[in-house]
């Protein structure tokens, strides 16, 4: 679960000096079926949002960009990164071994070698799944 107070907004001024509140783009919530999808950009947006580098710090948007990179761009590294975030409670997310195991499984089934080892450990120890 993401702490709601972790999301932030940034204020900018337009040419007239009025303050404009910038919010994360909703584009990662839309289904995209295009050959023009550039997965490295999705991963970079995730990193920027999660760290606040170049954009307002926004954990929720960062996690959504990682999910989008996996679901739309088939980026298995993004699935593995999500698993690690949930396993180690990073970026304002509480530890959730069930969600972590699900992401490890998805990454493992897509060929991510480290995720295979992590998911095997989940199976052996019963973390996040039935033994």
């Amino acid at each position: 679960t993401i702490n709601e107070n972790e999301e932030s907004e940034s204020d900018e001024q337009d040419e007239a000096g009025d303050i404009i509140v910038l919010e994360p783009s909703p584009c990662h919530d839309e289904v995209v079926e295009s050959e023009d999808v550039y997965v490295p950009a999705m991963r970079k947006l995730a990193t920027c949002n999660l760290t606040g580098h170049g954009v307002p710090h926004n954990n929720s948007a960062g996690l959504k960009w990682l999910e989008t990179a996996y679901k739309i761009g088939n980026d298995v590294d993004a699935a593995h990164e999500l698993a690690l975030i949930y396993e180690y409670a990073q970026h304002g997310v509480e530890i959730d071994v069930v969600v972590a195991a699900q992401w490890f499984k998805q990454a493992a089934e897509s060929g991510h070698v480290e995720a295979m080892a992590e998911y095997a450990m989940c199976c052996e120890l019963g973390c996040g799944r039935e033994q």
Side-chain angles (χ1 to χ4, degrees):
T1 313
I2 299 168
N3 296 330
E4 294 299 322
N5 59 356
E6 289 293 325
E7 295 183 7
S8 64
E9 298 175 345
S10 174
D11 294 341
E12 268 187 20
Q13 292 184 352
D14 64 10
E15 292 177 17
D18 296 328
I19 293 179
I20 302 170
V21 177
L22 301 177
E23 296 182 10
S25 171
C27 64
H28 51 267
D29 291 333
E30 298 173 6
V31 176
V32 176
E33 293 184 25
S34 170
E35 294 178 8
D36 296 332
V37 172
Y38 189 60
V39 178
M42 292 179 188
R43 291 286 305 278
K44 186 65 175 177
L45 285 167
T47 300
C48 290
N49 276 282
L50 291 170
T51 62
H53 184 79
V55 297
H57 182 242
N58 188 324
N59 290 333
S60 179
L63 293 172
K64 286 181 182 178
W65 277 117
L66 283 175
E67 288 180 32
T68 302
Y70 173 72
K71 291 179 181 175
I72 294 175
N74 299 313
D75 185 344
V76 296
D77 289 327
H80 182 252
E81 188 173 342
L82 280 163
L84 293 174
I85 287 169
Y86 283 100
E87 181 179 26
Y88 295 110
Q90 299 170 338
H91 304 295
V93 174
E94 294 180 15
I95 289 177
D96 191 333
V97 293
V98 173
V99 173
Q102 291 168 349
W103 280 112
F104 280 133
K105 182 179 180 187
Q106 288 181 3
E109 289 174 344
S110 297
H112 194 283
V113 176
E114 290 177 49
M116 291 176 190
E118 292 280 358
Y119 186 65
M121 187 66 72
C122 290
C123 293
E124 182 178 339
L125 300 175
C127 298
R129 61 176 314 280
E130 294 182 28
Q131 290 180 323

